[in-house]
Amino acid sequence: MTASLVVELLALGLAAGFLAGLLGIGGGMLLVPFLTFILGQRGVPPGLAVKMAIATSMATIMFTSLSSVRAHHRRGAVRWELVRGLAPGILLGGLLAGAGLFALLKGAWLALVFAAFVSFSGWQMLRNKRPAPSRQMPGTAGQLGAGAGIGLLSGLVGAGGGFVSVPFMVWCNVPVHFAVATSAALGFPIAVANTLGYVIGGWGLAPALPGAMGYLYLPALGVIALASVTMAPLGARAAHAMNVAQLKKAFASLLFVLAGYMLWKGLAEL
């Protein structure tokens, strides 16, 4: 761990924590592209760098989400009944992704999956199409299926699920501030299930860098988690000070920028 690496990871953690609180995305949308770059600069092969970035990003969300959701809960914005309905499916989908599909797919394909779903989510937010007034969140079976999809996609791209769960809940007429806060709460079961899967899937891998354990890069996990937990409450406070239109534009703009970078990385490795 050089001084320059510590500074880079601290800056990344501070930014990711703020965005986790602001947008309910767990910070993974920011962490994955930048960690891919940082690991690549230190000699990790591109395909493995993408996988390590995804796994390390997901592990940091266990800490970021707790800090973020605490701030949102104080404002009464977390829809806990939706968390209870979606969490079982999320755990199932996350374990399937982390312990199975993640190890089988090439890093380039994971980067392309990341770019595709992030772009779609950004487009959905910018469309600003009003959902049908009668549309509501699905029942128990529907939430189980939706949670499984969110957990699976989150595990493949290393994000807290906000890039899927926020647009989905808004589409079901959940107000955007409540959707962001509830997504922050869903980040914890997503991160736990997928991190466990990554540990299982990468158990036999030789360390790519000193301090790496399979797909997890532990030094980055520690530094980023410390910094992001500090900033997440500030992001949550900023989210409640913004109007809905501003929040949607900020969310979509971030997604498009990061999708473009990962698309470039994925196509370069095919």
Side-chain angles (χ1 to χ4, degrees):
M1 287 285 284
T2 63
S4 62
L5 178 58
V6 173
V7 171
E8 290 173 5
L9 294 175
L10 279 173
L12 186 55
L14 291 171
F18 183 79
L19 290 171
L22 179 68
L23 302 176
I25 59 174
M29 296 289 101
L30 180 71
L31 290 175
V32 172
F34 280 97
L35 277 176
T36 299
F37 174 78
I38 289 171
L39 292 170
Q41 291 296 300
R42 279 153 182 81
V44 180
L48 181 57
V50 171
K51 288 192 172 187
M52 289 181 67
I54 288 172
T56 304
S57 165
M58 182 61 76
T60 67
I61 294 169
M62 289 190 292
F63 305 94
T64 307
S65 64
L66 290 177
S67 178
S68 176
V69 75
R70 186 165 173 261
H72 283 295
H73 176 68
R74 286 177 175 173
R75 296 174 179 271
V78 180
R79 294 277 299 273
W80 288 108
E81 79 280 7
L82 299 183
V83 175
R84 288 190 293 270
L86 293 167
I90 281 172
L91 292 170
L92 179 63
L95 281 171
L96 176 61
L101 293 177
F102 185 80
L104 296 175
L105 289 174
K106 289 177 59 178
W109 285 110
L110 289 171
L112 294 178
V113 168
F114 181 101
F117 278 100
V118 171
S119 298
F120 176 74
S121 296
W123 175 71
Q124 286 287 84
M125 295 298 283
L126 280 183
R127 283 179 69 198
N128 202 27
K129 183 179 178 181
R130 292 184 180 276
S134 59
R135 186 181 297 133
Q136 300 295 322
M137 287 289 292
T140 302
Q143 290 189 38
L144 181 67
I150 292 169
L152 181 68
L153 292 173
S154 299
L156 293 180
V157 301
F163 69 107
V164 179
S165 60
V166 171
F168 171 69
M169 285 186 277
V170 169
W171 184 74
C172 293
N173 279 301
V174 176
V176 67
H177 288 99
F178 289 92
V180 167
T182 304
S183 173
L186 291 170
F188 184 74
I190 287 172
V192 169
N194 281 290
T195 300
L196 179 60
Y198 298 143
V199 170
I200 295 170
W203 191 257
L205 287 179
L209 288 172
M213 183 181 73
Y215 294 120
L216 296 177
Y217 185 39
L218 299 181
L221 170 59
V223 175
I224 291 173
L226 179 63
S228 62
V229 164
T230 304
M231 289 299 291
L234 297 179
R237 188 181 307 167
H240 290 278
M242 296 173 68
N243 64 39
V244 171
Q246 289 175 321
L247 199 56
K248 284 186 174 181
K249 287 179 181 178
F251 191 101
S253 299
L254 173 71
L255 296 186
F256 282 128
V257 171
L258 300 178
Y261 174 78
M262 293 305 286
L263 177 63
W264 171 69
K265 291 293 292 184
L267 291 176
E269 294 303 316
L270 286 179

